[in-house]
Amino acid sequence: MNILQHIGHYVLKFFRTVGRLVLFTLTAVSHCVRPPFYPRAILRQMLEIGYFSLPVVGLTTIFAGMVLALQSYTGFSRFSAEGAIANVVIISITRELGPVLAGLMVTGRIGASMAAELGTMRVTEQVDALTTLSTNPFKYLVAPRLIAGVLMLPLLVFIGDIIGVLGGYLVAVYQLNFNPSNYIQSSWEAMETMDVLSGLVKATVFGFIISLMGCYHGYSSKGGAQGVGKATTDSVVSASILILCFNFILTVLFFEK
Amino acid sequence: MTETPKIRIRDLHKTFGPKVVLDGLDLDVMPGESVVIIGGSGTGKSVTLKCTLGLMEPDSGTIEVDGESVVGLNARERERVNHKFSMLFQSAALFDSLPVWENVAFGPIADKTVTRKQGKDLAIEKLAQVGMPAEVADLFPSELSGGMQKRVGLARAIAGDPEIIFFDEPTTGLDPIMADVINDLIVKVTRELGSTGLSITHDMASARKIADRIAMLYQGKIIWQGPADSIDDCDNEYVQQFINGRADGPIEMAVRK
Ligand SMILES: Nc1ncnc2c1ncn2[C@@H]1O[C@H](COP(=O)(O)OP(=O)(O)O)[C@@H](O)[C@H]1O
Ligand SMILES: [Mg+2]
């Protein structure tokens, strides 16, 4: 009908969603820092997010490292600058590909399952049951996931960095026939603490985003199986977009001179 | 009457968007009494319980528990008040990530009235009270039938020695024999604990068995209430239609319009 009415409706809806999300985030964070804590729940989430995601993150980063070495060889060989490959691999992996790939893979693995689990608990009244058993759902369900996400993602990315660089090494040495000790030497020289650290800071932020989106969408889901399905999709889509968005923002903050 | 009602609800209103669910509901539940609210599906029976437990905020009206107003309490106050309550949910709402015994002992463990070790013994004792063998303690809820889940839910509801127990459609979805077993258990455990009971159901056999007093909810109000044994003699047409399960009468189903 009225076009202004439509615009107004969506603007209002947008601000309502943002408001709800901000409120959810503040409540969740405040529960992360106030007792009681649930160490068993936190440990369980740390295992789930950290340990069980290792294979996925390891596989993604090793292939990323391998393909980086191959591609940059094609690009650099004309200038006979093969030594630069170690440089490209290590900078790309630690600064960008490690955190972003791990973040996206963990979103698919963990963000989705958090949304599905909390969503199911919501629609089957398990969240209400927690409240009646004098347990705050934010403390018992949301806080452990946020804490585990923030702690485990940097660790995952750190391991992912090592595996990714190893992938580059394997291709450089066995496929491109580089001298192993030369390659390790130039990798070592190319490595900057700042690159690794910035990647780990990104990972911490991504871990927060993944858990937050999984919990928010799961916690606010309604309307049975369909609602849970929608919550799962929403959590993956929103977390992925936010990760890419914050990756850009953090890169600007870290490396813009 | 000089005694303070355990629960006193006055002029309770609740709407969802344009849909009016509760429209001035009044209800008293006296200490030690078992009241059953009957009414068709979607008439707001669960909403009434959820408002009382603070899982939902009513639009207006007052709810008093032991003479204390409980609408709009903050989280900590609410937690204190909810210690008096427990609830058997319509879907049992067992935590499916926890074994049966942790479900049953969840409240006492969360309150730190028992340790985890003592919790298991407590759970086995409560399971015995609802006629379940100790072996089920280590099973997971998904390994149980619907009737067994209801019984575990009942064990969980009585584990914290609540003063008031809510039963949300305790027999819905069970075969008649299991339904009767649950009814008997409800009568037995509330009597043993001396608890006050508020149940909602549309199963008349169940209502007759567990109620001291029956109240009928229709269009957001209590339209009739009286002692359970007087319900057959009442001359309220709505009640008569409901207890006799007739399609014809003053209650019109939306589908027939
Ligand atoms: N969280 C909610 N959001 C929107 N509508 C709701 C919500 N909870 C209940 N309702 C609506 O309120 C009405 C009463 O629900 P309920 O109390 O669950 O019925 P019942 O008497 O069968 O227990 C239903 O029509 C339902 O659609
Ligand atoms: Mg209901």
Side-chain angles (χ1 to χ4, degrees):
Chain A
M1 281 291 132
N2 187 336
I3 197 145
L4 279 177
Q5 206 174 351
H6 265 295
I7 296 174
H9 174 77
Y10 283 110
V11 168
L12 278 182
K13 199 168 152 180
F14 173 77
F15 281 112
R16 242 197 326 262
T17 310
V18 171
R20 259 203 292 268
L21 181 58
V22 168
L23 195 65
F24 184 92
T25 311
L26 292 179
T27 316
V29 170
S30 82
H31 281 290
C32 286
V33 295
R34 280 182 300 154
F37 301 108
Y38 292 93
R40 297 174 67 86
I42 297 176
L43 266 171
R44 186 172 167 157
Q45 292 304 323
M46 285 171 75
L47 263 188
E48 193 62 47
I49 300 176
Y51 186 70
F52 293 117
S53 299
L54 263 180
V56 186
V57 170
L59 274 175
T60 358
T61 48
I62 199 165
F63 282 114
M66 284 159 64
V67 93
L68 266 176
L70 267 185
Q71 290 283 31
S72 46
Y73 180 70
T74 333
F76 283 121
S77 59
R78 280 180 290 164
F79 312 104
S80 58
E82 289 94 335
I85 290 176
N87 220 314
V88 169
V89 169
I90 206 151
I91 290 184
S92 319
I93 291 281
T94 55
R95 280 191 183 186
E96 293 293 331
L97 291 180
V100 171
L101 285 179
L104 293 178
M105 294 314 283
V106 175
T107 300
R109 230 195 127 252
I110 298 296
S113 88
M114 277 183 192
E117 190 179 353
L118 264 60
T120 307
M121 291 187 75
R122 164 63 78 195
V123 301
T124 58
E125 301 181 304
Q126 291 179 50
V127 174
D128 290 344
L130 273 178
T131 311
T132 65
L133 295 166
S134 40
T135 301
N136 189 317
F138 267 93
K139 281 217 158 66
Y140 185 75
L141 296 174
V142 178
R145 285 168 170 78
L146 278 179
I147 293 172
V150 166
L151 292 180
M152 292 321 277
L153 250 271
L155 205 65
L156 269 176
V157 167
F158 188 70
I159 297 172
D161 284 352
I162 295 171
I163 296 177
V165 172
L166 177 76
Y169 169 86
L170 291 179
V171 164
V173 171
Y174 295 100
Q175 171 94 17
L176 309 174
N177 298 316
F178 282 20
N179 178 312
S181 57
N182 279 356
Y183 187 86
I184 293 177
Q185 175 77 23
S186 23
S187 292
W188 191 248
E189 278 163 12
M191 190 170 74
E192 297 276 352
T193 320
M194 185 58 190
D195 292 343
V196 180
L197 275 186
S198 72
L200 297 185
V201 170
K202 282 180 176 180
T204 313
V205 175
F206 298 169
F208 184 77
I209 291 175
I210 294 167
S211 294
L212 184 73
M213 287 298 117
C215 291
Y216 172 74
H217 289 286
Y219 198 83
S220 21
S221 70
K222 47 180 168 269
Q226 203 185 3
V228 176
K230 184 170 178 315
T232 311
T233 312
D234 288 350
S235 80
V236 172
V237 172
S238 59
S240 307
I241 292 173
L242 281 175
I243 282 178
L244 294 174
C245 206
F246 272 84
N247 184 48
F248 177 75
I249 295 172
L250 289 171
T251 305
V252 170
L253 287 181
F254 275 120
F255 299 107
E256 190 87 324
K257 300 277 150 54
Chain B
M1 269 197 282
T2 52
E3 214 174 3
T4 326
K6 205 71 188 164
I7 302 171
R8 181 185 160 94
I9 301 175
R10 284 293 174 274
D11 201 26
L12 197 65
H13 289 261
K14 179 76 187 172
T15 55
F16 293 103
K19 192 178 163 88
V20 179
V21 176
L22 298 180
D23 188 20
L25 180 132
D26 295 328
L27 187 73
D28 283 340
V29 183
M30 302 309 289
E33 189 185 27
S34 171
V35 173
V36 173
I37 303 177
I38 57 172
S41 298
T43 47
K45 304 185 298 293
S46 300
V47 169
T48 309
L49 293 191
K50 285 181 180 169
C51 286
T52 313
L53 285 168
L55 298 171
M56 266 179 199
E57 283 291 315
D59 298 338
S60 66
T62 58
I63 302 174
E64 288 172 12
V65 175
D66 289 326
E68 178 194 359
S69 170
V70 298
V71 176
L73 291 181
N74 66 30
R76 184 166 307 157
E77 299 262 281
R78 175 46 76 178
E79 207 167 288
R80 176 180 56 77
V81 170
N82 276 7
H83 267 114
K84 298 181 182 178
F85 291 105
S86 75
M87 174 147 170
L88 174 58
F89 284 85
Q90 192 166 347
S91 56
L94 300 177
F95 306 125
D96 36 34
S97 60
L98 300 178
V100 165
W101 74 265
E102 276 193 66
N103 266 284
V104 174
F106 194 96
I109 292 177
D111 293 339
K112 301 205 164 61
T113 49
V114 298
T115 62
R116 285 179 60 80
K117 221 171 144 59
Q118 293 164 330
K120 186 151 187 183
D121 296 332
L122 177 78
I124 289 173
E125 181 194 322
K126 296 293 167 187
L127 285 170
Q129 280 185 29
V130 297
M132 303 211 38
E135 293 84 75
V136 294
D138 289 311
L139 298 179
F140 279 85
S142 57
E143 298 172 273
L144 305 178
S145 70
M148 286 162 93
Q149 291 190 6
K150 275 278 163 72
R151 283 204 266 178
V152 173
L154 186 56
R156 181 173 74 181
I158 61 173
D161 295 333
E163 296 172 31
I164 306 162
I165 313 181
F166 288 167
F167 301 96
D168 190 347
E169 310 211 356
T171 57
T172 302
L174 302 180
D175 66 76
I177 298 173
M178 182 52 79
D180 203 48
V181 170
I182 298 285
N183 288 333
D184 285 336
L185 282 171
I186 288 175
V187 173
K188 174 174 126 42
V189 296
T190 45
R191 193 166 296 150
E192 280 168 0
L193 285 173
S195 314
T196 306
L198 178 58
S199 318
I200 58 186
T201 188
H202 48 232
D203 170 2
M204 280 313 298
S206 172
R208 285 176 210 276
K209 195 138 190 178
I210 57 188
D212 298 324
R213 192 152 56 83
I214 295 179
M216 169 130 178
L217 178 60
Y218 181 66
Q219 292 193 337
K221 293 187 184 68
I222 299 293
I223 54 161
W224 179 88
Q225 53 180 314
D229 45 23
S230 74
I231 193 165
D232 292 305
D233 309 326
C234 94
D235 50 10
N236 188 306
E237 293 171 76
Y238 294 89
V239 177
Q240 284 302 331
Q241 185 191 350
F242 188 83
I243 65 178
N244 294 312
R246 287 194 300 258
D248 293 321
I251 305 175
E252 282 194 37
M253 290 285 157
V255 289
R256 284 156 48 84
K257 283 184 191 158

